[in-house]
């Protein structure tokens, strides 16, 4: 870093922890969801569906914690030299990607919960805590909701991929240290 470059101001440790916990949970639930969807009906498939629903509720809770933290703890501004070097379209993509991800952090699990309720399969968190049904049992509604859960999950995966691509651009091409803001350690 040259003397004309301002130091990178990092995110708070709680924000970093929530970011990476949510990232790992999203990768895990997407892999699990993709795997279980094609399994034949069996006790194993039912078990995996339960785990998928539990993970969805945990992701919903992590997302709420992350949003609450974000609303009560202002994130560090982009360093001036990075913001000035960023073309307008990249700044728009940066903000749109983050807003889209936050929206989908809530939409995907809530749509999944609605689908599970409509299909008549209640969510019993960790096999012990029954959660209320989001909508009444309705096979027609379940069939309507199911593709929206899948499409919104794929949209989140694509936006997360765009987010990762942007981060890698800052590491490999720009080499501006931006990833350090959301990394562990000093």
């Amino acid at each position: 870093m040259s003397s004309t470059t301002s130091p990178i101001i990092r995110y708070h440790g709680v924000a970093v922890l929530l970011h990476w916990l949510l990232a790992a949970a999203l990768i895990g639930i997407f892999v699990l969801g993709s795997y279980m969807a094609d399994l034949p009906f069996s006790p194993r498939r039912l078990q995996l569906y339960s785990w998928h629903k539990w993970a969805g509720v945990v992701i919903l809770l992590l997302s709420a914690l992350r949003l609450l933290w974000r609303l009560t703890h202002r994130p560090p501004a982009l360093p001036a030299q990075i913001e000035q070097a960023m073309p307008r379209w990249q700044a728009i993509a940066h903000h749109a990607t983050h807003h889209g991800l936050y929206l989908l952090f809530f939409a995907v699990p809530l749509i999944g919960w609605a689908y599970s309720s409509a299909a008549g399969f209640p969510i019993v968190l960790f096999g012990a805590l029954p959660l209320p049904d989001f909508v009444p049992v309705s096979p027609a509604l379940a069939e309507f909701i199911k593709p929206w859960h899948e499409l919104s999950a794929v949209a989140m995966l694509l936006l997360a991929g765009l987010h990762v691509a942007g981060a890698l651009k800052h590491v490999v091409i720009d080499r501006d240290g931006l990833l350090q803001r959301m990394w562990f350690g000093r």
Side-chain angles (χ1 to χ4, degrees):
M1 211 177 306
S2 71
S3 59
T4 60
T5 304
S6 59
I8 297 292
I9 299 172
R10 297 174 41 79
Y11 279 81
H12 189 280
V14 171
V16 173
L17 179 65
L18 289 171
H19 175 273
W20 292 106
L21 272 175
L22 193 54
L26 290 171
I27 290 167
I29 198 169
F30 190 83
V31 169
L32 178 61
S34 298
Y35 171 72
M36 71 183 195
D38 294 328
L39 290 177
F41 186 78
S42 67
R44 178 71 174 153
R45 182 178 181 187
L46 292 175
Q47 180 185 40
L48 294 177
Y49 266 81
S50 289
W51 292 354
H52 182 80
K53 290 190 256 183
W54 300 348
V57 172
V58 169
I59 286 170
L60 188 58
L61 293 172
L62 279 174
S63 298
L65 280 174
R66 185 168 181 194
L67 181 60
L68 182 63
W69 183 267
R70 178 85 182 236
L71 293 173
T72 58
H73 296 79
R74 187 176 181 93
L78 279 174
Q81 71 275 13
I82 293 174
E83 193 167 17
Q84 291 165 0
M86 189 181 295
R88 180 158 167 72
W89 71 267
Q90 282 183 8
I92 291 169
H94 163 81
H95 292 293
T97 300
H98 280 94
H99 287 101
L101 282 170
Y102 270 94
L103 174 71
L104 291 168
F105 290 158
F106 292 93
V108 175
L110 289 174
I111 293 169
W113 190 343
Y115 168 65
S116 187
S117 297
F121 296 107
I123 299 173
V124 182
L125 190 58
F126 306 123
L129 179 64
L131 300 181
D133 284 333
F134 217 55
V135 298
V137 174
S138 166
L141 182 58
E143 284 303 309
F144 175 76
I145 294 172
K146 184 178 182 179
W148 290 104
H149 180 59
E150 294 168 2
L151 288 171
S152 61
V154 169
M156 184 163 42
L157 179 69
L158 293 173
L159 278 181
L162 186 61
H163 177 70
V164 169
L168 289 175
K169 175 199 172 281
H170 283 281
V171 171
V172 175
I173 296 171
D174 299 340
R175 298 182 183 185
D176 55 18
L178 192 67
L179 184 64
Q180 293 172 340
R181 291 164 31 107
M182 191 52 85
W183 200 250
F184 298 100
R186 298 209 176 274

